Amino acid sequence: MIYAILKMLHLLALVFGAAASLGNIYLLLARGPHDLPAPALANALRKWYRLTALGAILLLWATGLVMLPMRHGFRVEGFALNAKIALAGLLLAIVFYLNWKAPVWARRGGPPAYLPALHLTGAASLILAVIFAVAAFA
Ligand code: HEM
């Protein structure tokens, strides 16, 4: 019962995290040569995505770290499970970094040129983490 609730929360966090991650990619795709004429809307969306991603990755780690020993013990074995946890760690680092830096960038008048690469790396990590999760637990 507890395990089922944890797994539901884990997968719901994944749903919210995916929305945030893909939302950022769609904003990148919609940007075009000039920003579309709604910078306030785009900035509001970026903030929602950033905070949603933070909540989602924290919930993924919290539920994952409780489920893992319930199911496997603390020894993490197998390439797929290790790869999944490494990707989740990379994603955690990216989301923390974005949430830490975004207010600083806003004060300084804009994000750095590598921001799109960071969003793409995050989205790729999320998709690969799902693929490795299914491979690990199938
Ligand atoms: C980017 C972050 C993460 C994503 C996208 C993710 C994705 C998934 C998915 C899709 C499943 C369902 C797999 C299946 O049942 O076939 C799952 C289950 C699970 N995940 Fe995660 N996960 C993430 C982070 C973590 C972390 C950090 C841990 C542990 C440290 C963890 C531990 C687990 C465990 C124990 C299950 C349960 C599998 C089962 O009982 O069937 N996950 N995860």
Side-chain angles (χ1 to χ4, degrees), residues 109-136:
Y114 61 79
L115 187 68
L118 220 50
H119 283 318
L120 284 169
T121 310
S125 307
L126 183 65
I127 289 169
L128 285 172
V130 173
I131 291 172
F132 281 120
V134 176

Side-chain angles (χ1 to χ4, degrees), residues 16-28 41-56 95 98-99 119:
F16 280 80
S21 186
L22 291 179
N24 274 320
I25 301 296
Y26 296 152
L27 278 179
L28 286 177
L41 173 67
N43 281 339
L45 285 175
R46 286 190 186 107
K47 188 170 181 184
W48 275 105
Y49 292 148
R50 179 164 64 74
L51 295 175
T52 304
L54 183 62
V95 173
L98 287 175
N99 275 275
H119 283 318

Side-chain angles (χ1 to χ4, degrees), residues 3 7 10 14 61 64-65 67-68 71 84 88 91 133 137:
Y3 194 86
K7 191 159 176 180
H10 199 72
L14 172 55
W61 270 96
L65 281 175
M67 283 193 297
L68 199 62
R71 181 160 172 176
K84 172 198 152 134
L91 205 53
F137 297 121

Side-chain angles (χ1 to χ4, degrees), residues 71-127:
R71 181 160 172 176
H72 294 271
F74 266 115
R75 288 181 51 174
V76 177
E77 280 168 17
F79 174 77
L81 191 50
N82 276 294
K84 172 198 152 134
I85 291 175
L87 288 161
L90 177 62
L91 205 53
L92 182 72
I94 292 176
V95 173
F96 270 12
Y97 184 73
L98 287 175
N99 275 275
W100 169 45
K101 282 288 186 183
V104 180
W105 292 332
R107 279 197 301 277
R108 286 195 200 143
Y114 61 79
L115 187 68
L118 220 50
H119 283 318
L120 284 169
T121 310
S125 307
L126 183 65
I127 289 169

